[in-house]
Amino acid sequence: MTAPQLGSLAWVPAAERPDLLGTPVAAALPSLRGPAWVAEIDDDLADTAAFTEAYAVPPAASANCVVVAARRAGQTTLAACLVLATTRADVNGVVRRHLGARKASFAPQDVAVAETGMAYGGITPIGLPVGLPVLIDAAVAAAEMVVIGSGTRGSKVAVSGTVLAALPGAEVIEGLGLPSAPEAGPSPAPARPSRAPDDSDVGWGERPAEPADNDRRYLEDRPPHWGSD
């Protein structure tokens, strides 16, 4: 196998360096339908903007995996979304409709880490829990080679789009990634409703507006661990 030429990184077969991978990622390697490569990086440079600048990897050759929480009829479910770094996941449009949810948003950091078993900033579609949907943008699936997380912040993995599209639970979706909005100047933060301390984004601990509101989502439990049956 010929190592990919992606930026200034030294890529080696991932199977030769399981120490650079998150535990669930290393465990999933034998089931991949194609080669995977890994390269060590500074864990302070794991975030996309810093990574692509430091290691000369084009953003169009890098993909971000985010965990989304979707709620319908008082039940919250999770899904992973993988889009190119030049785009952002259409959470409130394509993702919400695909999951049949009333509301969708990025999962809180502690939930994403606990449910995936991976480091925040290193979450990847490889090695996700059984039963967790993996939504992959068609542009990622079509990529000859794309850089993704490794389950840790200290490395990156490179695989082909066809390998990602063949992952368990993967669904390739056209238009999942939207063009990233241009950076704008700072603006005042919008007012937010009162929430419980552990609810930073999607609604665990959110209180109904009125006492008579039947939407008692503040009583719902966090999702059970996937594949625990």
Side-chain angles (χ1 to χ4, degrees):
M1 295 185 297
T2 303
Q5 300 296 314
L6 287 167
S8 59
L9 294 167
W11 298 95
V12 298
E16 295 180 4
R17 293 297 308 272
D19 57 301
L20 292 179
L21 306 172
T23 300
V25 179
L29 281 183
S31 65
L32 294 184
R33 299 184 184 178
W37 307 83
V38 67
E40 189 170 8
I41 66 169
D42 185 330
D43 57 8
D44 289 333
L45 299 173
D47 294 335
T48 302
F51 166 74
T52 55
E53 180 178 358
Y55 298 103
V57 174
S62 182
N64 294 328
C65 184
V66 296
V67 178
V68 171
R71 186 165 57 237
R72 180 181 183 184
Q75 298 296 317
T76 301
T77 58
L78 301 180
C81 300
L82 186 67
V83 299
L84 292 177
T86 53
T87 67
R88 55 186 174 86
D90 186 7
V91 174
N92 288 314
V94 172
V95 176
R96 180 182 61 80
R97 290 192 297 271
H98 185 78
L99 297 176
R102 179 181 61 82
K103 179 181 179 182
S105 186
F106 296 111
Q109 177 176 328
D110 61 332
V111 174
V113 169
E115 296 300 325
T116 63
M118 302 177 189
Y120 199 76
I123 293 175
T124 185
I126 299 174
L128 288 173
V130 175
L132 184 69
V134 182
L135 311 183
I136 299 177
D137 186 69
V140 175
E144 181 177 353
M145 191 67 63
V146 65
V147 177
I148 57 176
S150 66
T152 76
R153 291 183 61 86
S155 65
K156 293 287 185 180
V157 166
V159 292
S160 69
T162 55
V163 167
L164 295 171
L167 290 172
E171 298 179 74
V172 177
I173 299 177
E174 192 74 41
L176 179 64
L178 294 174
S180 296
E183 293 186 5
S187 58
R192 300 180 62 191
S194 176
R195 298 172 183 260
D198 67 340
D199 176 41
S200 63
D201 195 19
V202 75
W204 282 293
E206 186 173 349
R207 309 294 181 179
E210 299 294 337
D213 192 339
N214 290 326
D215 182 3
R216 296 173 61 81
R217 55 188 176 270
Y218 62 96
L219 294 178
E220 74 179 9
D221 294 328
R222 291 186 175 186
H225 287 281
W226 301 93
S228 59
D229 294 339

